Amino acid sequence: MSALHPHHTPAAHPSGHGAVPRRSPGATGPSDSPGPSRAPGYRPVVDLDSGAVVAVEVVAAPPSPEVPGGPPSAGMGVHEGTAVADWLLGLVAEAAGTESLLPLVLPLPARILTAGEGFVALVESRIRRAGRRPRDITLLLGADLADLPRSVIVPGVARLRAAGFRCGFGTAMVRPDVVVEAAPFLMRIDPGIVSGVATDQRHATVVEGLARIGRGSGVYAMASGVDSAEDVLRLRACGIRVGTGAFFADRTWRPGERVTPVPEPTAGQGREEDAGPRVTEFMVPPVGFDSDTTTEQVLEAFTGDPALNSVILIDHRERPVGVIDRTRFLLSMTGRYGHALHAKRPALRLAESPRTIPAWMTALAALRVAGQDTERVYDDLVATNSYGQCLGVVHISDLIQSLSRS
């Protein structure tokens, strides 16, 4: 669900506290409808723990099928596939006008899984032409996915993933064994289920079950149609960590605008380490690269930004796998034969293990974490959500300056 274009630069937290990483058109509910306009709408995808906006969902109606009313499993023709690819290009180009570098969640008719390799290559070329990398994009398959056979879903998702795209299931109404076998990036829990989660134990039980399936299979469950603070609290209790809905923003929301803050966590209140500001107030956008990025690319990032302290190497699920400190990296590169030895090789060779902290942690507790490693006490900390995804970077110097004034 997190944007690396070309660097991972999440948008500002809605309350101004630091940095911050879906839904099918066919299942759009009354509160989430983009309205009669053909212009795409936008929804913030929000981390339910920190309130950070981790992605932008684009809401738009796909082109009409060549054969209206045909079965979902019917093959998609070349002309229809080209029309869908051009439509996706238009959505990406339109989103670029918002100046948001957050990951995009784009709607996609599930029938596209029948189109084969040609469509995937076509979409990849168009997305790259629009200035975004496939890994910046999650293609959210429509609710008609539930009508497709396993023999279409599994290889179709594999083709999209092989091209670098993230694939989302736009409905939870898919057999669990298909979810496990296809291993999508995320699974959207339908608004009809989410709407009763705060008041109906039956709904809460279903949501909790879907969240456990997701955690067990490496799939992020995302709640759609979140309408109230009570929904947020109950979804957290069920194990859901990301969501979208009218609670966070209305239909006029645009990327970069504020969203409604989530309720503060209540666990552990009253302890000294829970007092004071949280690290979300100090988070800055991380500069992130794929884990297979070369050392030369990292060097370009450091030379292009003299104020950059560190670079985060991130895997295909936005989880930090390595951190490269500016000072130690440049010492390695400027030493004798340094450039010749390292430039064309993976930057991961010069990376160190990331020091991660949960985004809900307080600044005081974060300082204690930093002090546990005397050799790296001033290295940046990486703030993560409950899925271990990178949300932002925290500079130790910022924590010290703030707490010294308080």
Side-chain angles (χ1 to χ4, degrees):
M1 293 210 346
S2 146
L4 305 175
H5 170 54
H7 307 314
H8 189 68
T9 51
H13 183 274
S15 58
H17 294 166
V20 290
R22 309 177 180 190
R23 174 168 178 195
S24 69
T28 300
S31 63
D32 282 345
S33 173
S37 172
R38 296 185 62 85
Y42 300 96
R43 299 191 193 115
V45 179
V46 178
D47 182 283
L48 300 185
D49 285 324
S50 67
V53 179
V54 296
V56 174
E57 179 186 3
V58 180
V59 185
S64 301
E66 291 179 345
V67 184
S73 58
M76 179 173 283
V78 174
H79 293 298
E80 185 177 351
T82 302
V84 172
D86 289 338
W87 171 69
L88 290 174
L89 174 61
L91 295 182
V92 173
E94 181 79 15
T98 67
E99 299 183 356
S100 171
L101 298 181
L102 283 165
L104 294 177
V105 181
L106 302 180
L108 189 67
R111 287 185 59 245
I112 208 67
L113 297 181
T114 66
E117 296 284 353
F119 171 80
V120 175
L122 191 63
V123 171
E124 181 186 4
S125 66
R126 278 161 167 69
I127 293 296
R128 291 189 183 277
R129 190 186 348 167
R132 299 300 294 257
R133 295 180 298 178
R135 75 180 307 268
D136 296 336
I137 307 296
T138 298
L139 298 173
L140 192 64
L141 299 167
D144 55 329
L145 180 74
D147 300 322
L148 292 175
R150 177 203 301 260
S151 59
V152 170
I153 296 175
V154 174
V157 170
R159 284 193 295 270
L160 292 171
R161 186 164 49 237
F165 292 105
R166 288 165 177 167
C167 195
F169 283 6
T171 177
M173 305 305 176
V174 181
R175 286 172 42 182
D177 59 324
V178 175
V179 174
V180 172
E181 187 174 355
F185 180 66
L186 67 84
M187 174 176 59
R188 186 183 70 92
I189 303 179
D190 306 77
I193 300 175
V194 174
S195 63
V197 71
T199 57
D200 192 325
Q201 182 58 41
R202 295 171 301 175
H203 285 237
T205 301
V206 172
V207 170
E208 184 175 1
L210 292 170
R212 297 184 71 174
I213 291 172
R215 286 197 302 274
S217 56
V219 179
Y220 301 125
M222 182 188 74
S224 59
V226 180
D227 290 329
S228 66
E230 289 74 20
D231 286 348
V232 173
L233 294 173
R234 192 59 188 268
L235 288 167
R236 282 178 185 164
C238 291
I240 303 296
R241 292 296 175 261
V242 289
T244 184
F247 170 75
F248 303 110
D250 60 24
R251 302 175 186 176
T252 63
W253 182 85
R254 301 280 291 177
E257 295 179 351
R258 294 175 179 270
V259 298
T260 304
V262 298
E264 288 289 333
T266 57
Q269 287 182 341
R271 298 180 301 178
E272 179 185 356
E273 59 266 34
D274 289 321
R278 299 191 178 276
V279 294
T280 49
E281 297 191 26
F282 307 96
M283 284 197 308
V284 297
V287 174
F289 288 92
D290 295 340
S291 56
D292 58 356
T293 294
T294 65
T295 303
E296 192 169 39
Q297 291 173 295
V298 174
L299 179 60
E300 291 176 359
F302 281 127
T303 55
D305 185 357
L308 181 61
N309 285 354
S310 62
V311 162
I312 312 299
L313 300 180
I314 301 176
D315 68 10
H316 70 290
R317 291 191 180 275
E318 301 292 338
R319 296 171 298 197
V321 295
V323 60
I324 300 178
D325 176 76
R326 180 189 188 92
T327 301
R328 292 190 289 275
F329 175 82
L330 293 180
L331 283 173
S332 298
M333 292 297 292
T334 56
R336 192 174 186 181
Y337 308 122
H339 192 277
L341 286 172
H342 303 298
K344 301 299 182 182
R345 297 189 176 185
L348 194 58
R349 297 172 67 251
L350 298 179
E352 298 167 288
S353 60
R355 297 195 303 168
T356 60
I357 55 173
W360 48 260
M361 182 174 280
T362 64
L364 183 59
L367 275 179
R368 289 174 177 160
V369 171
Q372 292 173 0
D373 187 346
T374 56
E375 294 184 359
R376 300 175 59 191
V377 66
Y378 291 108
D379 284 10
D380 290 342
L381 300 175
V382 182
T384 61
N385 63 15
S386 297
Y387 290 104
Q389 293 175 301
C390 179
L391 292 181
V393 167
V394 178
H395 301 316
I396 298 301
S397 58
D398 293 342
L399 298 183
I400 295 174
Q401 289 175 10
S402 174
L403 293 179
S404 67
R405 295 192 299 263
S406 60

